[in-house]
Amino acid sequence: MRNQRRVVITGLGVVSPIGCDLELFWHLLSRGETGIKPITSFDTSPFGASLAGEITDFDPTDFIHPKKARRMGRVSQFAVASALMATRNAALDLEQEDRERVGVCFGTSVGGLKEAFEAHDSMLAKQYKHTNPFTMTTTFPNAVSAEVSIAMGTHGECETYSIGCSSTANAIGRAYDLIRSHDVDIVVAGGAEAPLHPTIFSAMDAGRTLAPDQGGTIRDLPRPFDQNRCGIVLGEGAGCFILEEQEHAERRGAPIYAELEGWAFTTDAHSMARPDETGREHRRAIERAVASAHWFPEEVDYINACGLGTVELDLIETIAIKKAMGSSAYRIPVSSFKSALGHAFAASGAFQLIGTVLALQHQFIPPTLHLTHPDPQCDLDYVTGLGRSKTLQRALVNSFGFGGKNIVIAVSRVDVPALRDTILASESGSTYHERLVAPALAHSRQAGLIQ
């Protein structure tokens, strides 16, 4: 029987409400800046909520040829852009790789639902004449992983996972399994979401899941674990990782950010809209992730919480952490990035893992914003204020989704090779572009996907 292999993260790419650049994303996240603001893409006056983590500075033609970009949904544009950035960040030259040993695993919750609603409105207005022939390929959830594979020219497994808010965590876990089982050497893995459409917003508002903000006059939402938390603030974006078998990464001198050491998946089997109040399966997911990584609870240095900002789930997550971590629960710092980025469904899992990996690298925990009136029942060590410097080696990332899908990822710090320092220091220079960016994107340019 072949030995199972170790899996490392060698590249990161992000499209987010606080930056479409890895350095800017970390700078603003670590400083406690927020990407939550009034929505500009549609009129929110009919609704009780008006805020979101909206991306306003993204231009798909920075990454994709305009003709190709027009044939993609916004969610696929986000996915491809984040994948190209992650490839560049990993110094990965796919021309030098066996593309049959490179896979793609991406998560999305609503996929191209935004484009589906827009197409429906257009068809009605035109009485089903002049229908866009690319409607189906822009709306399929399958398009998210397929467009990434097309852009990268990969020939290994290519799959889209859609299990709600935990979709990206699912994609990361499956990518981990593919590498461990010798199926592939590299996986381009991540998640993308573009749910900011008035019909989706209206449905969420009608379901009383969105935090009311009095027409945008309340600007300090969301507020995970706060006594006054009152619901979700939507977001959008994408995040991508280059996952590699460790020895493969070392042979090519790759930058190594962190190691994935384990993951776990449990299901409530309780309700599509409400979590099981006992938190039994949330607790079991945490316990199984720790066991999968062969850690003791005492070895966990940080927990990146799902931290949705709802009354029920924040309390359930707190209880689950207490029960799973036992006497260690109160000494482990906890924070939620949704306070800065909103809840971007599947993309939130990508934001969580990227932020956690960077926290391990910088030995600094970004704060949970707006947690000014702590809930007495949510009494763990939530990091607030200006964030916290701390020695970090091992972390858990919680991703709990609608329908009771509970996934926890265990990730650990790896000593930073000199190569990555060189890459990050020279990322904006022409030498970097000539030596790393151009080779990594050669296939996409040749295929006409980028300019």
Side-chain angles (χ1 to χ4, degrees):
M1 181 177 177
R2 293 178 298 178
N3 292 328
Q4 289 186 322
R5 306 186 298 171
R6 297 174 70 177
V7 180
V8 295
I9 299 172
T10 60
L12 305 172
V14 69
V15 177
S16 86
I18 57 171
C20 300
D21 169 87
L22 192 62
E23 185 176 354
L24 179 60
F25 174 84
W26 173 252
H27 175 72
L28 296 179
L29 185 70
S30 62
R31 284 171 55 91
E33 301 289 342
T34 181
I36 307 301
K37 53 188 180 293
I39 293 173
T40 62
S41 57
F42 59 88
D43 179 17
T44 60
S45 60
F47 313 123
S50 66
L51 304 179
E54 185 180 35
I55 298 172
T56 57
D57 59 348
F58 174 75
D59 183 351
T61 62
D62 288 341
F63 304 90
I64 309 163
H65 190 281
K67 182 177 180 180
K68 298 287 185 180
R70 286 194 297 272
R71 296 178 179 180
M72 289 184 191
R74 184 169 171 87
V75 65
S76 294
Q77 293 171 349
F78 285 163
V80 170
S82 68
L84 292 174
M85 284 189 277
T87 303
R88 178 185 67 188
N89 184 250
L92 178 61
D93 183 357
L94 288 173
E95 296 296 329
Q96 303 300 316
E97 300 295 334
D98 179 356
R99 294 178 188 272
E100 295 180 3
R101 302 282 300 170
V102 182
V104 174
C105 294
F106 250 78
T108 187
S109 181
V110 301
L113 193 57
K114 172 182 180 291
E115 284 73 24
F117 285 130
E118 291 172 351
H120 178 259
D121 293 342
S122 175
M123 290 176 194
L124 286 179
K126 297 176 181 178
Q127 297 183 328
Y128 297 96
K129 298 177 182 178
H130 310 295
T131 298
N132 184 342
F134 300 103
T135 297
M136 295 306 293
T137 56
T138 61
T139 58
F140 283 153
N142 167 53
V144 176
S145 59
E147 293 287 13
V148 170
S149 178
I150 292 167
M152 312 296 287
T154 64
H155 299 295
E157 285 88 339
C158 178
E159 300 173 336
T160 297
Y161 301 89
S162 187
I163 62 163
C165 313
S166 304
S167 298
T168 297
N170 191 194
I172 296 294
R174 297 305 179 196
Y176 170 86
D177 290 345
L178 285 174
I179 295 173
R180 293 259 291 177
S181 61
H182 296 259
D183 290 331
V184 293
D185 298 317
I186 302 171
V187 179
V188 183
E193 212 73 83
L196 298 184
H197 182 277
T199 303
I200 298 173
F201 202 79
S202 178
M204 296 289 290
D205 192 46
R208 298 183 179 180
T209 58
L210 298 182
D213 55 47
Q214 299 177 22
T217 58
I218 301 176
R219 298 293 299 274
D220 62 345
L221 296 169
R223 47 171 82 94
F225 306 109
D226 191 273
Q227 190 168 10
N228 297 319
R229 65 190 184 277
C230 55
I232 295 169
V233 175
L234 288 184
E236 62 177 347
C240 186
F241 309 83
I242 302 300
L243 305 184
E244 291 187 58
E245 188 273 323
Q246 183 186 35
E247 292 184 2
H248 180 280
E250 291 174 346
R251 282 196 301 271
R252 71 176 187 86
I256 297 178
Y257 282 95
E259 180 177 359
L260 289 178
E261 296 208 49
W263 75 297
F265 188 163
T266 69
T267 307
D268 286 359
H270 176 70
S271 166
M272 276 302 300
R274 300 171 66 89
D276 179 1
E277 293 181 0
T278 69
R280 177 181 179 276
E281 296 303 322
H282 302 79
R283 168 188 177 176
R284 199 164 67 89
I286 297 170
E287 291 173 339
R288 288 185 61 200
V290 172
S292 174
H294 303 288
W295 298 349
F296 294 106
E298 294 80 6
E299 295 179 292
V300 177
D301 300 310
Y302 168 59
I303 295 177
N304 185 266
C306 182
L308 199 57
T310 65
V311 174
E312 289 181 322
L313 188 57
D314 286 4
L315 178 57
I316 290 169
E317 184 170 15
T318 298
I319 293 171
I321 291 172
K322 289 179 184 178
K323 291 182 177 179
M325 306 309 292
S327 60
S328 297
Y330 284 98
R331 69 156 189 84
I332 302 172
V334 178
S335 69
S336 169
F337 297 157
K338 290 185 178 70
S339 57
L341 297 157
H343 182 40
F345 296 143
S348 287
F351 296 156
Q352 286 181 258
L353 185 55
I354 289 172
T356 299
V357 166
L358 294 176
L360 292 172
Q361 177 193 348
H362 292 281
Q363 300 287 278
F364 182 84
I365 302 172
T368 303
L369 305 183
H370 323 309
L371 207 175
T372 54
H373 298 86
D375 183 341
Q377 296 184 84
C378 295
D379 58 349
L380 295 174
D381 181 16
Y382 306 110
V383 177
T384 60
L386 300 177
R388 183 184 306 172
S389 295
K390 190 178 188 302
T391 301
L392 303 173
Q393 181 62 38
R394 299 175 182 84
L396 297 176
V397 179
N398 293 345
S399 188
F400 304 141
F402 288 118
K405 311 292 180 65
N406 312 305
I407 298 180
V408 179
I409 294 173
V411 61
S412 63
R413 184 175 186 269
V414 173
D415 289 337
V416 181
L419 175 60
R420 190 173 75 214
D421 292 338
T422 302
I423 290 171
L424 293 175
S426 61
E427 189 165 20
S428 60
S430 60
T431 301
Y432 174 82
H433 185 278
E434 292 167 0
R435 294 167 63 183
L436 298 179
V437 178
L441 305 184
H443 172 84
S444 297
R445 186 173 291 107
Q446 188 175 24
L449 290 165
I450 61 173
Q451 296 174 306

